Amino acid sequence: MQVKGLRWWVIALIALATIINYIDRQALSVLWPAIVEDLFPDESALERKQIYANISIIFVFAYAFGQAIFGKIFDWVGTRLGFVLSIGVWSLATVAHAFAQGLLSFGLFRAILGVAEAGNWPGATKGNAEWFPTKERALAQGIFNSGAAIGGIIAIPLIAFLTIYFSWQMVFVVVGLVGLLWLIPWVVLVKAPPGSHPWITEEEKQYILTGQRPADAVEGVEVEEYNPSTKELLSRKQSWGVIIASAAIDPIWWLFVFWIPIYLNEVYGMDVKSIGIYGWVPYVGAMFGAWFGGLLAQNRLKAGWNTDKTRKFIITLGCLIMLPALLAMADPGAPATAVLIMAVILFGFQTAIGNVQTLPSDLLGKKSVGTLAGFSGMAAKLGAVGLTSLVPILTADGNYTPAFVIGASLAVIAMLSVWVLIPKVEQLKSK
């Protein structure tokens, strides 16, 4: 049996995994108003916010650790088995949330969830490098990144809807079981990499493998990829360009992932059902941004732009879109206006991030992509820990402006790190 366009089926499954990933992680923030009334009825509003922040920080720390671990795991065991381990464990961890009784148990289950969910990103980056030619990678990255946005769009109203019929505990069980079902088509479809997959057409296999060769490669000559040791990888300034850009830009996303429901509850007095009406809107902007960033990269590469010019232009564009919108959140006015401004911010973020995340595969050989993606992912989550831990302090009086100003500064840092530390986005060579 042969399947036409097999690479698109693979990236569609990875995007679906990303949707599930975001539904599972968003469940806590959406259910939090109900959880605190049940488990923390005597704490003040500030104490409840601090408890939520502490649980979120545990998750992100674990996520950061998991990115580095799973980057290596995917390079060792391959994309197929790596995803089985990642989504299998995180789905079981989501179910376990139903049995949490307080900060300690929530922290434990969030830590397991964070380590396992982290595998989705280095796994997706590695899968992209394996299954797509260079000119289609930003589009493929945009497709799977849009899964995060679609997950956000679906998660908030879906979980709010489920609370009508189920307790918060049962909601965790239901969404956790969905990930286990995903394993079935993944194991069946992704039997091997494209070079040896029994279902891939010869035409598609050659299209993928030929399209992964550097632009200056000589036909018929074997290309030696640059797969450095971890020590050598970390000695290159280009690697640090990717790591710092990730560490700067990613906290902007997590600021909204963690705090949109809490922000709407605190600033506008919304309950879970009202949050379900408004809270999904910013993720629509994220979804369109993911598609826009990927399609724009594909368009520019087809128009003759090189990888360096394309990546830097789109990353810069995304950061410049975020900048004024983040500053506008200082005084957004009505809740509808606030969520629309958030949509612009997340549009800019997703425009840029897909191209940031393709940088490891632009710079390194396939056997090292997961490692750099893992390190940059770890740095991104440590950056998110820093901002998340500051939010309760910065917003103690209910004013979120300082957090948004920091977000704007991080967008500038992300943009500059790419331009300064990566003189040219191209396959590196041994020193």
Side-chain angles (χ1 to χ4, degrees):
M1 182 177 78
Q2 291 192 320
V3 178
K4 290 185 177 181
L6 185 61
R7 68 192 186 282
W8 298 109
W9 287 100
V10 172
I11 203 67
L13 274 178
I14 293 174
L16 180 58
T18 309
I19 292 171
I20 296 168
N21 186 297
Y22 265 80
I23 292 173
D24 288 3
R25 77 174 60 176
Q26 283 285 83
L28 179 68
S29 63
V30 180
L31 294 170
W32 189 247
I35 292 171
V36 292
E37 292 300 326
D38 189 9
L39 298 183
F40 309 104
D42 300 324
E43 279 78 1
S44 67
L46 181 57
E47 289 171 333
R48 290 177 174 185
K49 187 190 287 187
Q50 189 61 59
I51 291 169
Y52 175 77
N54 289 341
I55 294 170
S56 299
I57 288 167
I58 290 169
F59 173 84
V60 183
F61 262 125
Y63 200 101
F65 178 74
Q67 290 252 295
I69 292 296
F70 266 99
K72 280 292 188 184
I73 288 174
F74 272 89
D75 281 341
W76 288 335
V77 304
T79 307
R80 184 178 191 249
L81 183 56
F83 266 110
V84 171
L85 292 172
S86 179
I87 197 167
V89 174
W90 98 52
S91 298
L92 293 173
T94 302
V95 173
H97 280 56
F99 304 98
Q101 295 296 316
L103 175 59
L104 183 62
S105 50
F106 263 121
L108 174 62
F109 298 143
R110 292 304 278 184
I112 298 171
L113 181 74
V115 170
E117 281 204 335
N120 192 75
W121 269 259
T125 302
K126 186 175 179 66
N128 187 356
E130 286 178 349
W131 280 92
F132 284 85
T134 301
K135 66 183 179 182
E136 290 182 347
R137 282 178 184 166
L139 176 58
Q141 200 82 10
I143 291 171
F144 104 73
N145 271 339
S146 72
I150 295 169
I153 293 169
I154 293 172
I156 294 179
L158 173 64
I159 293 166
F161 174 76
L162 289 174
T163 60
I164 298 172
Y165 301 98
F166 300 110
S167 65
W168 64 264
Q169 292 95 335
M170 187 53 64
V171 173
F172 280 118
V173 173
V174 171
V175 297
L177 291 176
V178 173
L180 297 177
L181 292 175
W182 176 91
L183 291 172
I184 299 171
W186 176 258
V187 171
V188 171
L189 185 69
V190 187
K191 298 178 181 298
S196 57
H197 199 293
W199 293 356
I200 194 170
T201 64
E202 184 63 27
E203 180 184 8
E204 184 176 19
K205 180 170 73 173
Q206 293 305 318
Y207 175 73
I208 293 170
L209 299 180
T210 303
Q212 291 174 347
R213 295 167 63 87
D216 58 353
V218 178
E219 187 66 32
V221 177
E222 187 69 23
V223 177
E224 183 178 349
E225 292 185 332
Y226 180 56
N227 292 298
S229 65
T230 300
K231 181 180 179 180
E232 184 180 350
L233 184 149
L234 292 176
S235 73
R236 305 297 293 259
K237 66 179 181 180
Q238 290 88 346
S239 297
W240 285 101
V242 179
I243 291 168
I244 294 171
S246 301
I249 197 171
D250 218 49
I252 300 170
W253 173 258
W254 289 87
L255 176 65
F256 293 94
V257 169
F258 281 148
W259 296 100
I260 284 175
I262 311 302
Y263 173 88
L264 294 175
N265 174 257
E266 184 174 6
V267 175
Y268 296 105
M270 296 186 185
D271 59 15
V272 172
K273 294 178 180 61
S274 299
I275 291 169
I277 295 171
Y278 284 91
W280 59 274
V281 174
Y283 293 99
V284 176
M287 177 182 68
F288 284 117
W291 293 341
F292 173 74
L295 288 169
L296 181 59
Q298 186 181 48
N299 174 270
R300 292 298 82 204
L301 289 168
K302 284 185 175 179
W305 286 22
N306 62 23
T307 305
D308 177 65
K309 184 178 179 180
T310 300
R311 299 285 185 252
K312 288 178 178 176
F313 169 73
I314 298 173
I315 291 168
T316 302
L317 176 63
C319 290
L320 292 178
I321 290 171
M322 284 190 284
L323 205 51
L326 280 161
L327 297 175
M329 283 299 298
D331 185 21
T337 305
V339 294
L340 287 172
I341 295 172
M342 291 180 195
V344 174
I345 294 167
L346 296 191
F347 176 90
F349 173 86
Q350 287 290 352
T351 295
I353 194 64
N355 285 270
V356 171
Q357 290 173 338
T358 61
L359 291 174
S361 60
D362 293 328
L363 298 171
L364 301 174
K366 290 188 284 296
K367 292 181 181 179
S368 298
V369 168
T371 301
L372 180 54
F375 278 121
S376 60
M378 180 177 70
K381 303 313 170 284
L382 291 176
V385 165
L387 186 54
T388 301
S389 63
L390 286 174
V391 167
I393 301 168
L394 296 172
T395 65
D397 59 354
N399 179 15
Y400 281 72
T401 298
F404 296 128
V405 171
I406 290 174
S409 302
L410 291 172
V412 174
I413 293 170
M415 183 169 53
L416 290 177
S417 66
V418 173
W419 280 95
V420 173
L421 294 176
I422 310 177
K424 188 172 184 180
V425 179
E426 62 182 356
Q427 280 283 310
L428 299 178
K429 293 179 173 61
S430 298
K431 290 183 178 179

